Amino acid sequence: MKLDPFYLIVDSADWIERLVPIGVKLVQLRMKDVAEDDLRQHIRRAKAVCTEHGCVLVINDYWQIAIEEGCGFLHLGQEDLADADVATIRSAGLKLGLSSHDEAELETALAAKPDYIALGPVWPTILKKMKWAPQGVERLKTWKARIGEMPLVAIGGLNPDRLAAVFDNGADIAAVVTDITLNADPEARTREWIERTARRR
């Protein structure tokens, strides 16, 4: 499947309403430790904006709620995958993206036949504490050789100046969180990401 090379990951529908209209075509809503009612409201708002602007919305983790809310794409980490019912997710028609950080996790991810696999962190990241050391761009090349035509998402410490390195080493998609959400001008930074990934679109 063909997904946009610029993958924005945010923690609220507020961000999605703010940035998707600029031209974002692939966005993940990743909310942690949130009440179910609040989560559903954010999903509904995000779906409305993404539908209006032709953007693919990916829901992180909450697979039962994603099914109930009629979402089309889900992302799971390895721990979430272990607790998820992949058969139910697939029978509901959802596409599935999976995280991986080492060889064992790659094997687990491939066994689930996902629609994309993410590798990270490529560089050090401030987003969350990671038990894995930065993977480096060479690992992207190894992963891409293993997964073939399946899209490979690079995540962790990315910024526009590092895009050439991830794409040249096999990544199909560059995921970003803090480079945009912590930027002094998130709208301008989003436009820069869109422009810098345009030739791969």
Side-chain angles (χ1 to χ4, degrees):
M1 66 182 303
K2 176 68 173 174
L3 292 167
D4 199 83
F6 165 45
Y7 191 0
L8 176 63
I9 301 175
V10 293
D11 63 2
S12 73
D14 301 351
W15 279 114
I16 290 173
E17 290 169 343
R18 182 175 172 182
L19 298 178
V20 164
I22 292 173
V24 175
K25 296 301 178 186
L26 179 61
V27 67
Q28 182 184 132
L29 178 62
R30 179 165 68 187
M31 301 181 73
K32 300 293 184 182
D33 304 316
V34 61
E36 182 177 323
D37 287 348
D38 289 343
L39 176 64
R40 288 183 186 274
Q41 290 303 316
H42 279 269
I43 288 174
R44 290 167 189 173
R45 287 167 54 199
K47 276 186 66 182
V49 175
C50 289
T51 298
E52 179 182 354
H53 293 277
C55 177
V56 174
L57 173 64
V58 182
I59 304 300
N60 182 276
D61 190 8
Y62 298 94
W63 62 271
Q64 297 102 324
I65 294 173
I67 291 172
E68 292 166 8
E69 293 295 331
C71 299
F73 216 127
L74 182 71
H75 180 94
L76 296 176
Q78 292 275 324
E79 291 178 359
D80 304 320
L81 175 62
D83 297 330
D85 186 336
V86 175
T88 298
I89 291 166
R90 290 305 200 181
S91 66
L94 273 74
K95 296 188 182 305
L96 179 63
L98 297 174
S99 296
S100 68
H101 306 89
D102 57 31
E103 292 281 348
E105 290 194 349
L106 177 58
E107 291 299 330
T108 300
L110 286 171
K113 296 182 169 54
D115 294 281
Y116 74 69
I117 285 179
L119 172 67
V122 180
W123 284 278
T125 175
I126 62 172
L127 181 62
K128 58 183 179 180
K129 282 187 176 291
M130 302 286 275
K131 65 181 180 181
W132 297 275
Q135 305 281 343
V137 292
E138 285 297 317
R139 183 67 67 88
L140 289 168
K141 193 176 295 183
T142 303
W143 253 233
K144 188 59 181 175
R146 293 279 302 282
I147 71 175
E149 293 300 310
M150 185 187 303
L152 175 61
V153 177
I155 186 168
L158 272 68
N159 61 46
D161 292 333
R162 289 172 165 171
L163 285 173
V166 297
F167 290 139
D168 289 349
N169 282 279
D172 303 288
I173 299 166
V176 58
V177 186
T178 57
D179 186 70
I180 287 177
T181 60
L182 296 184
N183 195 278
D185 189 342
E187 285 82 1
R189 194 64 156 182
T190 297
R191 291 187 184 94
E192 181 179 358
W193 272 81
I194 291 169
E195 290 166 7
R196 296 282 286 271
T197 53
R199 68 182 183 83
R200 306 189 67 88
R201 192 160 282 115

